[in-house]
Amino acid sequence: MKKLLIACVTLALVSMPLTVQAKGRQPCSGKKGGVSHCAGDKFVCQDGSISKSKRIAAVN
């Protein structure tokens, strides 16, 4: 029983950082309605405004 409890606690601690990272801020979130499209390195929101976030190209 003790080993099962240790395993569950360890699993919870290991998976916690993954869920925290997934909750990161998104450009044009909330009342802005999400991203419509990109204009250069800027995000254009569904409401027509430009997000202060900048797009960063992924390096593969």
Coordinates of all heavy atoms in Angstrom, one line a residue:
M1 N 0.8 -1.2 0.0 CA 0.0 0.0 0.0 C 0.9 1.3 0.0 O 0.6 2.2 -0.7 CB -0.9 0.0 1.2 CG -1.9 1.1 1.3 SD -3.1 0.9 0.0 CE -4.2 2.1 0.3
K2 N 2.0 1.2 0.8 CA 2.9 2.3 0.9 C 3.5 2.6 -0.5 O 3.7 3.8 -0.9 CB 3.9 2.1 1.9 CG 4.7 3.3 2.3 CD 5.6 3.0 3.5 CE 6.4 4.2 3.9 NZ 7.3 3.9 5.1
K3 N 3.9 1.5 -1.2 CA 4.5 1.7 -2.5 C 3.6 2.3 -3.5 O 4.0 3.1 -4.4 CB 5.0 0.3 -3.0 CG 6.2 -0.2 -2.3 CD 6.7 -1.5 -2.9 CE 7.9 -2.0 -2.1 NZ 8.4 -3.3 -2.7
L4 N 2.3 1.9 -3.5 CA 1.3 2.5 -4.4 C 1.1 4.0 -4.1 O 1.0 4.8 -5.1 CB 0.0 1.8 -4.2 CG -1.2 2.2 -5.0 CD1 -0.9 2.1 -6.5 CD2 -2.4 1.5 -4.7
L5 N 1.1 4.4 -2.9 CA 1.0 5.8 -2.5 C 2.2 6.6 -3.0 O 2.0 7.7 -3.6 CB 0.8 5.9 -1.0 CG 0.7 7.4 -0.5 CD1 -0.6 8.0 -1.0 CD2 0.7 7.4 1.0
I6 N 3.4 6.1 -2.8 CA 4.6 6.7 -3.3 C 4.6 6.9 -4.8 O 4.9 7.9 -5.4 CB 5.8 6.0 -2.8 CG1 6.0 6.1 -1.3 CG2 7.1 6.5 -3.5 CD1 7.0 5.3 -0.7
A7 N 4.1 5.8 -5.5 CA 4.0 5.9 -7.0 C 3.0 6.9 -7.4 O 3.3 7.6 -8.4 CB 3.7 4.5 -7.5
C8 N 1.9 7.0 -6.8 CA 0.9 8.0 -7.2 C 1.4 9.4 -6.9 O 1.2 10.3 -7.8 CB -0.4 7.8 -6.4 SG -1.3 6.3 -6.9
V9 N 2.0 9.7 -5.8 CA 2.6 11.0 -5.5 C 3.7 11.4 -6.5 O 3.7 12.5 -7.0 CB 3.1 11.1 -4.0 CG1 3.8 12.4 -3.8 CG2 1.9 10.9 -3.1
T10 N 4.5 10.4 -6.8 CA 5.6 10.7 -7.8 C 5.0 11.0 -9.1 O 5.5 11.9 -9.8 CB 6.5 9.5 -7.8 OG1 7.1 9.2 -6.5 CG2 7.7 9.7 -8.8
L11 N 4.1 10.3 -9.6 CA 3.4 10.5 -10.9 C 2.8 11.9 -10.9 O 2.9 12.6 -11.9 CB 2.4 9.4 -11.2 CG 1.7 9.5 -12.5 CD1 2.7 9.4 -13.6 CD2 0.6 8.4 -12.6
A12 N 2.1 12.3 -9.8 CA 1.5 13.6 -9.8 C 2.5 14.7 -9.9 O 2.3 15.7 -10.6 CB 0.7 13.7 -8.5
L13 N 3.6 14.5 -9.2 CA 4.7 15.6 -9.2 C 5.4 15.7 -10.5 O 5.7 16.8 -11.0 CB 5.7 15.3 -8.1 CG 5.2 15.5 -6.6 CD1 6.2 15.1 -5.6 CD2 4.7 16.9 -6.4
V14 N 5.6 14.5 -11.2 CA 6.2 14.5 -12.5 C 5.3 15.1 -13.6 O 5.8 15.9 -14.4 CB 6.6 13.1 -12.9 CG1 7.1 13.0 -14.3 CG2 7.7 12.6 -11.9
S15 N 4.0 14.9 -13.5 CA 3.1 15.4 -14.6 C 2.7 16.8 -14.3 O 2.2 17.5 -15.2 CB 1.9 14.5 -14.7 OG 1.2 14.5 -13.5
M16 N 2.9 17.3 -13.1 CA 2.4 18.7 -12.8 C 3.1 19.8 -13.7 O 2.4 20.6 -14.2 CB 2.6 19.0 -11.4 CG 2.0 20.3 -10.9 SD 2.0 20.6 -9.2 CE 3.6 20.4 -8.7
P17 N 4.4 19.8 -13.9 CA 5.0 20.8 -14.8 C 4.4 20.8 -16.2 O 4.3 21.8 -16.8 CB 6.4 20.5 -14.8 CG 6.7 19.7 -13.5 CD 5.4 19.0 -13.3
L18 N 4.0 19.6 -16.7 CA 3.5 19.6 -18.1 C 2.1 20.3 -18.2 O 1.9 21.0 -19.1 CB 3.3 18.1 -18.5 CG 4.6 17.3 -18.6 CD1 4.2 15.8 -18.9 CD2 5.6 17.8 -19.5
T19 N 1.3 20.2 -17.1 CA 0.0 20.8 -17.2 C 0.2 22.3 -17.0 O -0.6 23.1 -17.5 CB -1.0 20.2 -16.1 OG1 -0.4 20.4 -14.8 CG2 -1.3 18.8 -16.4
V20 N 1.1 22.7 -16.2 CA 1.4 24.2 -16.0 C 1.8 24.8 -17.3 O 1.4 25.9 -17.6 CB 2.4 24.4 -14.8 CG1 2.8 25.8 -14.8 CG2 1.8 23.9 -13.5
Q21 N 2.7 24.2 -18.0 CA 3.2 24.7 -19.3 C 2.1 24.8 -20.3 O 2.0 25.7 -21.1 CB 4.3 23.9 -19.8 CG 5.6 24.0 -19.0 CD 6.7 23.1 -19.5 OE1 6.5 22.3 -20.4 NE2 7.9 23.2 -19.0
A22 N 1.2 23.8 -20.3 CA 0.1 23.8 -21.3 C -0.9 25.0 -21.0 O -1.6 25.4 -21.9 CB -0.7 22.5 -21.2
K23 N -0.9 25.6 -19.8 CA -1.8 26.7 -19.5 C -1.2 28.0 -19.9 O -1.8 29.0 -19.6 CB -2.1 26.7 -18.0 CG -3.1 25.6 -17.6 CD -3.4 25.8 -16.2 CE -4.5 24.8 -15.7 NZ -4.9 25.1 -14.3
G24 N -0.1 28.0 -20.6 CA 0.5 29.3 -21.0 C -0.4 30.3 -21.7 O -1.4 29.9 -22.3
R25 N 0.0 31.5 -21.7 CA -0.9 32.5 -22.3 C -0.9 32.3 -23.8 O 0.1 32.0 -24.4 CB -0.4 33.9 -22.0 CG -0.5 34.2 -20.5 CD 0.0 35.6 -20.2 NE -0.1 35.9 -18.8 CZ -1.0 36.8 -18.4 NH1 -1.7 37.5 -19.2 NH2 -1.0 37.0 -17.1
Q26 N -2.0 32.6 -24.4 CA -2.2 32.5 -25.9 C -2.5 33.9 -26.4 O -3.2 34.7 -25.8 CB -3.3 31.6 -26.2 CG -3.2 30.2 -25.7 CD -2.0 29.4 -26.4 OE1 -1.8 29.6 -27.6 NE2 -1.3 28.7 -25.6
P27 N -1.9 34.2 -27.6 CA -2.2 35.5 -28.2 C -3.7 35.6 -28.6 O -4.3 34.6 -29.0 CB -1.3 35.6 -29.4 CG -0.9 34.2 -29.7 CD -1.0 33.4 -28.4
C28 N -4.3 36.8 -28.4 CA -5.7 37.0 -28.8 C -6.7 36.2 -28.0 O -7.7 35.9 -28.5 CB -5.9 36.9 -30.3 SG -4.9 37.9 -31.3
S29 N -6.3 35.9 -26.7 CA -7.3 35.0 -26.0 C -8.3 35.9 -25.3 O -8.3 37.1 -25.3 CB -6.5 34.3 -24.9 OG -5.8 35.2 -24.0
G30 N -9.3 35.3 -24.8 CA -10.4 36.0 -24.1 C -11.4 36.7 -25.0 O -11.8 36.1 -26.0
K31 N -11.7 37.9 -24.8 CA -12.7 38.6 -25.6 C -12.3 38.9 -27.0 O -13.1 39.3 -27.8 CB -13.0 40.0 -24.9 CG -13.7 39.8 -23.5 CD -14.0 41.1 -22.9 CE -14.6 40.9 -21.5 NZ -14.9 42.2 -20.9
K32 N -11.0 38.8 -27.3 CA -10.5 39.1 -28.7 C -10.9 38.0 -29.7 O -10.8 38.1 -30.9 CB -9.0 39.3 -28.7 CG -8.6 40.5 -27.8 CD -7.3 41.0 -28.1 CE -7.0 42.2 -27.4 NZ -7.3 43.4 -28.1
G33 N -11.3 36.8 -29.2 CA -11.8 35.7 -30.1 C -10.8 34.8 -30.7 O -11.2 34.0 -31.5
G34 N -9.5 34.9 -30.3 CA -8.5 34.0 -30.9 C -7.8 34.7 -32.1 O -8.1 35.8 -32.5
V35 N -6.9 33.9 -32.6 CA -6.0 34.4 -33.7 C -6.8 34.3 -35.1 O -7.2 33.2 -35.4 CB -4.7 33.7 -33.8 CG1 -3.9 34.2 -35.0 CG2 -3.9 33.9 -32.5
S36 N -6.8 35.3 -35.8 CA -7.4 35.3 -37.2 C -6.4 34.9 -38.2 O -6.6 33.9 -38.9 CB -8.0 36.7 -37.5 OG -8.4 36.7 -38.9
H37 N -5.3 35.6 -38.2 CA -4.1 35.3 -39.1 C -2.9 36.0 -38.6 O -3.0 36.7 -37.6 CB -4.5 35.7 -40.5 CG -4.7 37.2 -40.7 ND1 -5.9 37.7 -40.4 CD2 -3.9 38.2 -41.1 CE1 -5.9 39.0 -40.6 NE2 -4.6 39.3 -41.0
C38 N -1.8 35.8 -39.2 CA -0.5 36.5 -38.9 C -0.2 37.5 -39.9 O -0.5 37.3 -41.1 CB 0.6 35.5 -38.8 SG 0.4 34.3 -37.5
A39 N 0.4 38.6 -39.5 CA 0.9 39.6 -40.4 C 2.3 39.9 -40.1 O 2.7 40.6 -39.1 CB 0.1 40.9 -40.3
G40 N 3.2 39.2 -40.8 CA 4.6 39.3 -40.5 C 4.9 38.5 -39.2 O 4.6 37.3 -39.1
D41 N 5.4 39.2 -38.2 CA 5.7 38.5 -36.9 C 4.6 38.9 -35.9 O 4.8 38.6 -34.7 CB 7.1 38.8 -36.4 CG 7.3 40.3 -36.1 OD1 6.5 41.1 -36.5 OD2 8.3 40.6 -35.4
K42 N 3.5 39.5 -36.3 CA 2.4 39.8 -35.3 C 1.2 39.0 -35.6 O 1.0 38.4 -36.6 CB 2.0 41.3 -35.6 CG 3.2 42.3 -35.4 CD 3.2 42.8 -34.1 CE 4.3 43.9 -34.0 NZ 4.5 44.4 -32.7
F43 N 0.4 38.8 -34.5 CA -0.8 38.1 -34.6 C -2.0 39.1 -34.8 O -2.0 40.1 -34.0 CB -1.1 37.3 -33.3 CG -0.1 36.1 -33.1 CD1 0.9 36.3 -32.2 CD2 -0.2 35.0 -33.8 CE1 1.8 35.2 -32.0 CE2 0.7 33.9 -33.6 CZ 1.7 34.1 -32.7
V44 N -2.9 38.8 -35.7 CA -4.1 39.6 -35.9 C -5.2 38.9 -35.3 O -5.5 37.7 -35.6 CB -4.3 39.9 -37.4 CG1 -5.6 40.8 -37.5 CG2 -3.1 40.6 -38.0
C45 N -5.9 39.5 -34.3 CA -7.0 38.8 -33.6 C -8.3 38.9 -34.4 O -8.4 39.6 -35.4 CB -7.2 39.6 -32.3 SG -5.8 39.7 -31.2
Q46 N -9.3 38.0 -34.0 CA -10.6 37.9 -34.7 C -11.3 39.3 -34.7 O -12.1 39.6 -35.6 CB -11.4 36.9 -34.0 CG -10.9 35.4 -34.2 CD -11.2 34.9 -35.6 OE1 -11.9 35.5 -36.4 NE2 -10.5 33.8 -35.9
D47 N -11.1 40.1 -33.6 CA -11.8 41.4 -33.6 C -11.1 42.5 -34.4 O -11.5 43.6 -34.3 CB -12.0 41.8 -32.1 CG -10.7 42.2 -31.4 OD1 -9.6 42.0 -32.0 OD2 -10.8 42.7 -30.3
G48 N -10.0 42.1 -35.1 CA -9.3 43.1 -35.9 C -8.1 43.8 -35.2 O -7.3 44.4 -35.9
S49 N -7.9 43.6 -33.9 CA -6.8 44.3 -33.2 C -5.5 43.4 -33.4 O -5.6 42.3 -33.8 CB -7.1 44.4 -31.8 OG -7.3 43.2 -31.1
I50 N -4.4 44.0 -33.2 CA -3.1 43.3 -33.3 C -2.6 43.0 -31.9 O -2.6 43.9 -31.0 CB -2.1 44.2 -34.0 CG1 -2.6 44.4 -35.5 CG2 -0.7 43.6 -34.0 CD1 -1.7 45.3 -36.3
S51 N -2.3 41.8 -31.7 CA -1.8 41.3 -30.4 C -0.4 41.9 -30.1 O 0.4 42.1 -31.0 CB -1.7 39.8 -30.4 OG -1.1 39.3 -29.2
K52 N 0.0 42.1 -28.8 CA 1.3 42.5 -28.5 C 2.3 41.3 -28.5 O 3.5 41.6 -28.5 CB 1.3 43.1 -27.0 CG 0.5 44.4 -27.0 CD 0.5 44.9 -25.6 CE -0.3 46.2 -25.5 NZ -0.4 46.7 -24.2
S53 N 1.8 40.1 -28.6 CA 2.7 38.9 -28.8 C 3.3 38.9 -30.1 O 2.8 39.4 -31.1 CB 1.9 37.7 -28.6 OG 1.3 37.6 -27.3
K54 N 4.5 38.4 -30.2 CA 5.2 38.2 -31.4 C 5.4 36.7 -31.8 O 5.6 35.9 -30.9 CB 6.6 38.9 -31.4 CG 6.5 40.4 -31.3 CD 7.9 41.0 -31.4 CE 7.8 42.5 -31.4 NZ 9.1 43.1 -31.4
R55 N 5.3 36.4 -33.0 CA 5.4 35.1 -33.5 C 6.9 34.7 -33.6 O 7.7 35.5 -34.1 CB 4.8 34.9 -34.9 CG 4.8 33.5 -35.4 CD 4.0 33.4 -36.6 NE 4.6 34.1 -37.7 CZ 4.5 33.9 -39.0 NH1 3.7 32.9 -39.4 NH2 5.1 34.6 -39.9
I56 N 7.3 33.6 -33.0 CA 8.7 33.1 -33.1 C 8.7 31.9 -34.0 O 8.0 30.9 -33.7 CB 9.2 32.8 -31.7 CG1 9.2 34.1 -30.8 CG2 10.6 32.2 -31.8 CD1 9.5 33.8 -29.4
A57 N 9.5 31.9 -35.0 CA 9.6 30.7 -35.9 C 10.2 29.5 -35.2 O 11.2 29.7 -34.5 CB 10.4 31.1 -37.1
A58 N 9.7 28.4 -35.3 CA 10.2 27.2 -34.7 C 11.5 26.7 -35.4 O 11.6 26.8 -36.7 CB 9.2 26.0 -34.8
V59 N 12.5 26.3 -34.7 CA 13.7 25.8 -35.3 C 13.7 24.3 -35.2 O 13.6 23.7 -34.1 CB 14.9 26.4 -34.5 CG1 16.2 25.9 -35.0 CG2 14.9 27.9 -34.5
N60 N 13.9 23.7 -36.3 CA 13.9 22.2 -36.4 C 15.2 21.7 -36.7 O 15.9 22.1 -37.5 CB 12.9 21.7 -37.4 CG 11.4 21.9 -36.9 OD1 11.2 22.1 -35.7 ND2 10.5 21.8 -37.7

